[in-house]
Amino acid sequence: MTSSSDRSPAVDVQAPKSYEIRTYGCQMNVHDSERLSGLLEEAGYVRAPEGSDGDADVVVFNTCAVRENADNRLYGNLGRLAPRKAQRPGMQIAVGGCLAQKDRDTIVKKAPWVDVVFGTHNIGKLPVLLERARVQEEAQVEIAESLEAFPSTLPTRRESAYAAWVSISVGCNNTCTFCIVPALRGKEKDRRTGDILAEIEALVGEGVSEITLLGQNVNAYGSDIGDREAFSKLLRACGSIEGLERVRFTSPHPRDFTDDVIAAMAETPNVMPQLHMPLQSGSDTILKAMRRSYRQDRYLGIIEKVRAAIPHAAITTDIIVGFPGETEEDFEQTLHVVREARFAQAFTFQYSKRPGTPAATMENQIPKEVVQARYERLVALQEEISWEENKKQVGRTLELMVAEGEGRKDGATHRLSGRAADNRLVHFTKPEQEVRPGDVVTVEITYAAPHHLLAEGAVLDVRRTRAGDAWEKRNAAEAAKPAGVMLGLPKIGVPAPLPAATSACGCD
């Protein structure tokens, strides 16, 4: 029998605190959330398992302010967490992003159970603010008026092992009347080209094979450093990075889309034949009211030049329906551009007032029923065009980068999913050979739907890649973590090429 003196003393091992981040809005917010994850993990937090739904020790809302009901959505979610927090001593709630930058002290007044409010310019302060709120037992509100440090210097927990966002600039110098982003993100600040390329090379060294250059107005890159051709030079420089297979960028502005950029896209093999070019409206009158610095002819001219240089390019766009003062004739001009441009896909938005923007107080706000009817007509036309354009892909042989989580029915249909070079989503028959996210397969397209393609025959070729190796290594490392410190399997996949239509800024 063992005496009490022989027993080892009990060790009080406190489990790491868990975190959950809920992200709303554009790609910039998605990438900021990767940085918030990196900051919290560096501070000792662990990611809560998938589906935690507010059960984490720290819940962070990374908000968007460009939709009319953004604040209602936030306060509704905060309200649902209030009783849970009351039952869990030590739980903390933080609110960051564009809505936090805009509303500041209002958030704590409306939701006094929030512990931390931080802005778009000081996301690096989150761990410190959480600790300060815990020690002082009172809410911490800290909003920086300008960028303290370029966000890419912060630690990052990337959602994908093989595809990555790379920020090249933050902020925007445009004054579009429907958009509040410049007021919340600040003036454009460009990152040094050498720092961008160094980050890309480091990512490729870790196994990443696809990068998406990210900026609020990505092709205006260079205006802050005094080089009008800086963006095209950056694209060409990406072409010389060994191991980097795919380069994309989002979102450009027609005003800054110059011939040297088109040439760089056409002449740099790893820059993908895909372009997202926001239109917003086809009417010159409405474009002027929006303070968009191009007109219909200029926009269609860009599309024509891109198609001449890159015949197989897939072009997508953003369109706003029902902007104040939009007449039936104005709307018909938008339909005309859609027919002429033949977009592969369009992200369409019904205009909604963005508090703090000039358009919110304009006269001739369009009745909801009129906006709805026009929206439905536009969607029907674009669906028809998308389907026709996708049908042109049938019979083509395409290389796909295999993704994970892009095909909701893949398990039931025994298929996998991947993205073609032009970013079209393709579901393909699962081959007998093991295929990992990040690997590349060659398939023949057999069927087209408006929003995806099918390759129902046997896979023609499988190329195992360093990116696939990176995914496999990362997955194995996650699975090997002891229970209780599980971060949950990451949502691996190519970064979404565009935000969902219900939550995107649509402001480019």
Side-chain angles (χ1 to χ4, degrees), residues 226-241:
D227 184 353
R228 293 182 60 83
E229 295 189 356
F231 186 64
S232 62
K233 293 174 183 176
L234 178 60
L235 290 178
R236 292 182 186 276
C238 287
S240 64
I241 297 177

Side-chain angles (χ1 to χ4, degrees), residues 284-312:
D284 287 354
T285 300
I286 297 301
L287 288 171
K288 182 178 180 181
M290 289 178 167
R291 287 191 203 145
R292 303 287 285 179
S293 51
Y294 55 90
R295 299 295 178 259
Q296 183 188 116
D297 286 350
R298 159 74 172 154
Y299 186 93
L300 288 174
I302 293 171
I303 302 301
E304 183 178 356
K305 287 181 179 180
V306 170
R307 289 246 160 84
I310 315 167
H312 290 301

Side-chain angles (χ1 to χ4, degrees), residues 128-209:
V128 172
L129 294 173
L130 287 169
E131 180 63 14
R132 191 186 301 164
R134 185 187 66 81
V135 172
Q136 298 182 6
E137 297 183 345
E138 63 179 10
Q140 301 295 310
V141 179
E142 188 168 309
I143 306 292
E145 297 300 332
S146 59
L147 195 65
E148 295 181 345
F150 204 95
S152 291
T153 61
L154 301 173
T156 303
R157 185 198 195 279
R158 297 187 182 271
E159 289 298 310
S160 172
Y162 61 86
W165 307 107
V166 175
S167 287
I168 69 170
S169 64
V170 294
C172 180
N173 292 339
N174 293 320
T175 58
C176 302
T177 55
F178 57 80
C179 183
I180 198 170
V181 168
L184 304 179
R185 291 277 181 179
K187 292 293 185 181
E188 181 178 324
K189 180 69 176 176
D190 292 336
R191 191 175 171 200
R192 289 183 62 253
T193 303
D195 292 341
I196 297 169
L197 296 174
E199 180 181 357
I200 295 172
E201 289 171 351
L203 288 168
V204 172
E206 295 169 4
V208 168
S209 61

